[in-house]
Amino acid sequence: PPAERPASLPGVFVGGDAVPYELVGVISPYNFPLLLGLIDAVPALAAGCAVLVKPSEVTPRFIEPLMRLVPDGLPLQVVEGDGRTGAALVDLVDAVVFTGSVETGQAVARAAARVFVPAFLELGGKDPAIVLAGADLDRAAAAILWGGTANAGQSCQSIERVYVAREAHDEFLALLAGKAAQVGLTCEGGPIGPIIRPDGAEKIAAQLADAVARGAIVHTGGTIERHGGGHWCRPTVLSGADHSMLVMTEETFGPVLPVMAVDGPDEAVALADDSRYGLSAAVFAAPEEQAMAVAARLRAGAISVNDASLTALVHEGEKHSFRRSGLGGSRMGDASIARFLRRRAFLVNRSDAADPWWHPTKE
């Protein structure tokens, strides 16, 4: 809390402290189950809260080894269960944090409103990358490939659509497809893991079928494969994409990079902002001033400049999600802890004189 200071009224001083929420509930998703189970829990603990975590029932295997490591006395508990358990959790806590889909996030927000507790929501994304003429195309292709396919694209900050200046489009597309063709699956020794949920594989397949039916061209990947009982999708590069296709407008959550040619920065920004999401984005341009000018026009909470998906690795930058990608305080930077604290003010009058606004009374 700030040091005590004089108020605007003579003789009055303002101080204060910070009061943590007693119990914070965390409802975490199936992707990155350990990381996203703790990314809100640890700051809440640092703020002085007790924390109750309800991870996704799809990926619960980390719970038992995690709880073996939790020291006695640390007010952290993890419970298993499905959506009904998450709904019950909201009724028990003093603040709730949810990471997941927009639709479920809206349900959590409604439930939190009914019991009058704050809800911090980190929801979906459809992150765009913009590549302008003059950018380092080889660097842009390498960064966007990683940003769109790390963890098989199952990250909220994954690059899911790419807008390239028309004069650079063909060269960039060739570089991106060439690099993507060299990236294999983990079952072959490569870095691309399986699709976590069967319905996720179905969604990817449906979006690819829709794109091809509407004229998109598949340069790499493009199919769901089965290996060892799991579903896999190789890095998929599409060209000829446009906003009539689901793959350009709805969250994919897979290693798919649709590329669209644009006529300059204005069209790129207009298309990038043509979305219900506003989580993050990326801009590649030279000089840097041009990239920053474009970044400042995007309606998204974090913009990687001449790189992609840096929010996965750089946690110092405080940010808010725009549009339906989230609600509430930043989970990055100092605000990641401060959002779990309520400010309390102490207003101390050290004057012996009567306040002039008091009701006049006879002695």
Side-chain angles (χ1 to χ4, degrees), residues 34-62:
L34 176 62
L35 172 64
L36 294 182
L38 296 180
I39 194 171
D40 298 302
V42 169
L45 290 167
C49 311
V51 180
L52 181 61
V53 180
K54 202 297 286 185
S56 169
E57 67 276 17
V58 176
T59 49
R61 289 188 293 177
F62 77 98

Side-chain angles (χ1 to χ4, degrees), residues 25 29 48 56 96-97 124 153 158 175 179 186 190 211 234 241 279 306 325 355:
S56 169
V96 62
V97 186
S158 288
L175 287 165
K179 293 177 186 297
T186 52
R234 296 180 186 276
L279 190 61
N306 290 325
S325 283
D355 289 336

Side-chain angles (χ1 to χ4, degrees), residues 194 253 268 312:
F253 228 56

Side-chain angles (χ1 to χ4, degrees), residues 267-286:
E267 185 181 17
V269 169
L271 289 168
D273 283 344
D274 182 22
S275 174
R276 68 173 180 160
Y277 300 107
L279 190 61
S280 45
V283 178
F284 295 82

Side-chain angles (χ1 to χ4, degrees), residues 24-349:
V24 171
V26 175
I27 304 173
S28 56
Y30 63 84
N31 61 317
F32 301 104
L34 176 62
L35 172 64
L36 294 182
L38 296 180
I39 194 171
D40 298 302
V42 169
L45 290 167
C49 311
V51 180
L52 181 61
V53 180
K54 202 297 286 185
S56 169
E57 67 276 17
V58 176
T59 49
R61 289 188 293 177
F62 77 98
I63 297 175
E64 193 274 332
L66 170 65
M67 294 310 297
R68 288 203 308 265
L69 299 174
V70 173
D72 293 340
L74 186 70
L76 171 67
Q77 187 61 46
V78 182
V79 296
E80 295 189 54
D82 57 15
R84 291 169 295 182
T85 305
L89 177 146
V90 176
D91 292 335
L92 300 174
V93 300
D94 303 293
V96 62
V97 186
F98 172 79
T99 304
S101 70
V102 172
E103 291 72 23
T104 306
Q106 289 172 320
V108 170
R110 288 192 293 268
R114 282 195 295 271
V115 293
F116 212 69
V117 300
F120 305 107
L121 309 176
E122 187 83 6
L123 308 179
K126 188 68 181 175
D127 286 7
I130 294 174
V131 182
L132 299 179
D136 182 335
L137 298 184
D138 188 71
R139 176 182 179 84
I144 289 170
L145 176 61
W146 179 84
T149 65
N151 201 46
Q154 297 164 111
S155 308
C156 56
Q157 80 281 355
S158 288
I159 298 297
E160 292 209 356
R161 49 198 173 112
V162 187
Y163 303 100
V164 185
R166 196 171 301 278
E167 57 267 44
H169 174 272
D170 292 352
E171 182 180 354
F172 171 83
L173 180 63
L175 287 165
L176 181 63
K179 293 177 186 297
Q182 301 174 52
V183 178
L185 309 177
T186 52
C187 59
E188 305 167 338
I192 306 300
I195 305 303
I196 298 170
R197 297 172 55 132
D199 59 350
E202 294 169 3
K203 182 177 183 180
I204 295 167
Q207 287 194 6
L208 291 174
D210 172 77
V212 170
R214 295 176 185 274
I217 299 170
V218 179
H219 295 266
T220 62
T223 60
I224 301 298
E225 304 178 13
R226 297 297 302 272
H227 300 285
H231 296 81
W232 309 71
C233 182
R234 296 180 186 276
T236 297
V237 176
L238 306 175
S239 66
D242 61 46
H243 279 219
S244 72
M245 302 172 184
L246 295 174
V247 76
M248 291 292 282
T249 58
E250 295 297 323
E251 189 172 27
T252 304
F253 228 56
V256 180
L257 288 165
V259 180
M260 180 176 179
V262 295
D263 293 317
D266 289 346
E267 185 181 17
V269 169
L271 289 168
D273 283 344
D274 182 22
S275 174
R276 68 173 180 160
Y277 300 107
L279 190 61
S280 45
V283 178
F284 295 82
E288 182 181 307
E289 291 75 14
Q290 184 185 26
M292 291 298 296
V294 170
R297 297 169 62 189
L298 294 174
R299 295 175 185 152
I303 318 296
S304 298
V305 175
N306 290 325
D307 208 331
S309 303
L310 284 175
T311 54
L313 303 165
V314 180
H315 300 154
E316 294 92 336
E318 294 183 11
K319 67 182 184 70
H320 291 96
S321 299
F322 286 29
R323 294 177 168 171
R324 295 196 178 183
S325 283
L327 194 65
S330 173
R331 64 167 29 158
M332 303 294 181
D334 293 344
S336 65
I337 298 174
R339 64 189 166 139
F340 296 115
L341 298 169
R342 292 160 291 179
R343 295 293 301 274
R344 179 166 53 193
F346 301 121
L347 311 176
V348 182
N349 192 334

